Amino acid sequence: MILTINETIKIVEQIRSSGSTIGMAQGAFDLIHAGHIEHFMMCKDYCDVLFVVLVPDRYAAKGPGRPVYKQRTRSEIVDCLKMVDYVLCDEWNDETACLAIDLIKPNFYFKGTEYRDKIDLTKNIDKEIERVRSHGGDIIFLSGTISSSTKLINYITGTPELCK
């Protein structure tokens, strides 16, 4: 189910009062591939309810013609996945997931292991980890198949120098 911010507030309250654990994954999810599916399946193993937060189009611009799908379409695709309970699709004024973390207050925030070892000059992942922990949650780095929508798109479009 695709939610607005106000709907999310109400649903999170209901989930919390039931004692269920909440997980949250966040990303562009521009071109869904096997790595994303595996990631969501692994996320769902840790929580009762999984929220997936979509990065707004302006922050998902990873190259010319990107994102391939606009945020609404990306959210509709992710919403079709049975392991995803809720999709939050909104226009955040922040390139981090911090505002969504404040809204959902997940027990678990999921990222791939590539983010654990990544040198992040923006320090966005550090901000997100700090925010999750400030709400009593924790981050879980999941080690599944690491794929890249960007590399797949570059490969398909014949831009091999960008596929490295």
Side-chain angles (χ1 to χ4, degrees):
M1 175 183 286
I2 301 169
L3 303 174
T4 65
I5 288 176
N6 288 333
E7 291 168 332
T8 301
I9 292 168
K10 291 175 188 171
I11 286 175
V12 166
E13 287 174 9
Q14 292 169 356
I15 295 167
R16 290 248 173 255
S17 67
S18 76
S20 297
T21 56
I22 297 174
M24 179 182 143
Q26 179 258 7
F29 307 115
D30 190 16
L31 180 63
I32 296 294
H33 52 69
H36 291 136
I37 302 298
E38 183 180 6
H39 182 73
F40 294 144
M41 288 170 50
M42 292 170 74
C43 291
K44 189 62 176 182
D45 286 342
Y46 283 89
C47 61
D48 299 312
V49 180
L50 178 60
F51 283 83
V52 175
V53 177
L54 275 287
V55 172
D57 292 338
R58 69 180 169 276
Y59 298 121
K62 297 181 178 186
R66 297 289 305 281
V68 172
Y69 295 110
K70 298 294 181 199
Q71 186 184 42
R72 185 66 192 184
T73 302
R74 291 184 283 126
S75 65
E76 290 168 349
I77 293 167
V78 171
D79 186 46
C80 290
L81 302 173
K82 69 179 181 179
M83 71 291 282
V84 174
D85 297 294
Y86 298 104
V87 178
L88 183 54
C89 177
D90 211 324
E91 282 299 314
W92 306 105
N93 249 345
D94 188 357
E95 63 183 337
T96 71
C98 290
L99 296 173
I101 290 166
D102 287 342
L103 183 67
I104 297 169
K105 298 176 184 68
N107 300 92
F108 303 109
Y109 180 55
F110 304 105
K111 286 298 213 183
T113 54
E114 69 272 22
Y115 287 91
R116 180 184 56 211
D117 304 323
K118 181 180 177 182
I119 297 172
D120 181 8
L121 299 176
T122 66
K123 302 291 185 202
N124 286 343
I125 191 70
D126 294 338
K127 293 172 191 171
E128 292 167 356
I129 292 169
E130 182 179 314
R131 192 64 61 94
V132 168
R133 290 183 175 153
S134 77
H135 294 296
D138 205 3
I139 185 157
I140 297 177
F141 292 101
L142 298 171
S143 60
T145 304
I146 297 175
S147 296
S148 165
S149 297
T150 300
K151 287 182 181 177
L152 288 171
I153 290 167
N154 291 337
Y155 177 77
I156 292 167
T157 60
T159 318
E161 67 274 4
L162 298 177
C163 295
K164 299 175 185 168

